[in-house]
Amino acid sequence: MNDNSLVTPGERQKRIRDIFVDHRNHQQAIQALNHFYMPVEGGIHSRGSVCALIGPSRTGKSFAANDIVAAHEPRVGQDGIKRPVLLVDCPIEGGPRGILDSIADALELTVSSRMTNANLINVILRELRRAEVEFVIFDEAQELFPEKNKRILAFARGLLRKMLNLNRFNIACIGLPETYSIIAEDPQLLGRGGLEHKHLSPYDWNDEHDRKHFRAMCHKFDLEMPFEKSGFSATDFAYRLFQASGGCIGHLKNYLIDAGNRAIKDGSNQVELRHFADAFDARRRPGEIFNPFRVSQG
Ligand SMILES: Nc1ncnc2c1ncn2[C@@H]1O[C@H](COP(=O)(O)OP(=O)(O)O)[C@@H](O)[C@H]1O
Ligand SMILES: [Mg+2]
């Protein structure tokens, strides 16, 4: 993408922000979610089980979930909108009512604040059936299963069981690694399908395959950046990007955005090491001296 003269700085910034790369972890996340939803392509969707997609923050879990939702958009049916895939973003606060409201939001239900929780649960269960929901994804599911808040924990477990009892859809919980064991501790949930799960990990430089995939991901970003190629996937450059990002696509993206902004600003044809070095300095913790983009490697 070298037609830089044709676009404004803002358009180039947007291009960086909107870059999508099809890297291995993304493919694995998509594959897992698709399998939880519909194990045989063109077949029937699964139902009645809970499954999990877990991994540290910024590894691309939500990004993958949004992809699945986009591939199964709501459609208009005879008695209203049908929603094959429902994505619920779990609230960080608000107790049981907050959880119920976020499900109602995803279903685009208008709910009076005076409605009791028990009634709201019934309204939600009815709407899940009417909207012919085939797959429910709870993102940030660690908020449903807070280890220390027994009240929320018990409520969320009960709610999930009620939803699964409709026997219409599977539920995928997306969350942090600890979420898996908390769901697994509930024999009633575990009993429903055995808790099929996929663990996403950041790329590990010490693993030969991971290293290869990380470099391939860097290369794809390099191709998509609105600059002349910078050589991100060369061993030396990729190792620096790895050290800065910890192998996490979200952190890598932050550096690409900031270094890209700096390169646009000073009119460079390429994003250079110095742009990344400045982006790293701007984020360095107090007292930290190391900057992977300033050390010489060799
Ligand atoms: N396949 C991808 N291509 C480009 N950017 C991505 C991709 N996956 C994730 N990102 C970026 O990484 C950041 C973190 O991803 P996200 O899905 O929010 O992680 P998680 O939900 O695991 O915390 C997002 O801001 C997104 O822009
Ligand atoms: Mg997320």
Side-chain angles (χ1 to χ4, degrees), residues 85-98:
V85 177
L86 190 74
L87 177 61
V88 180
D89 196 15
C90 302
I92 52 169
E93 239 180 286
R97 185 55 174 228

Side-chain angles (χ1 to χ4, degrees), residues 16-23 26-27 55-67 139-140 174-176 200 217 221 248-254 257:
I16 301 175
R17 198 190 56 197
D18 295 342
I19 291 175
F20 161 76
V21 296
D22 189 21
H23 62 119
H26 180 73
Q27 289 162 357
S57 140
R58 313 291 292 161
T59 43
K61 303 181 300 295
S62 299
F63 205 88
N66 282 311
D67 248 24
D139 197 4
E140 305 286 354
I174 297 184
L176 300 177
L200 274 196
M217 177 170 81
F221 272 116
C248 254
I249 187 160
H251 297 307
L252 179 64
K253 186 98 175 254
N254 288 340
I257 290 174

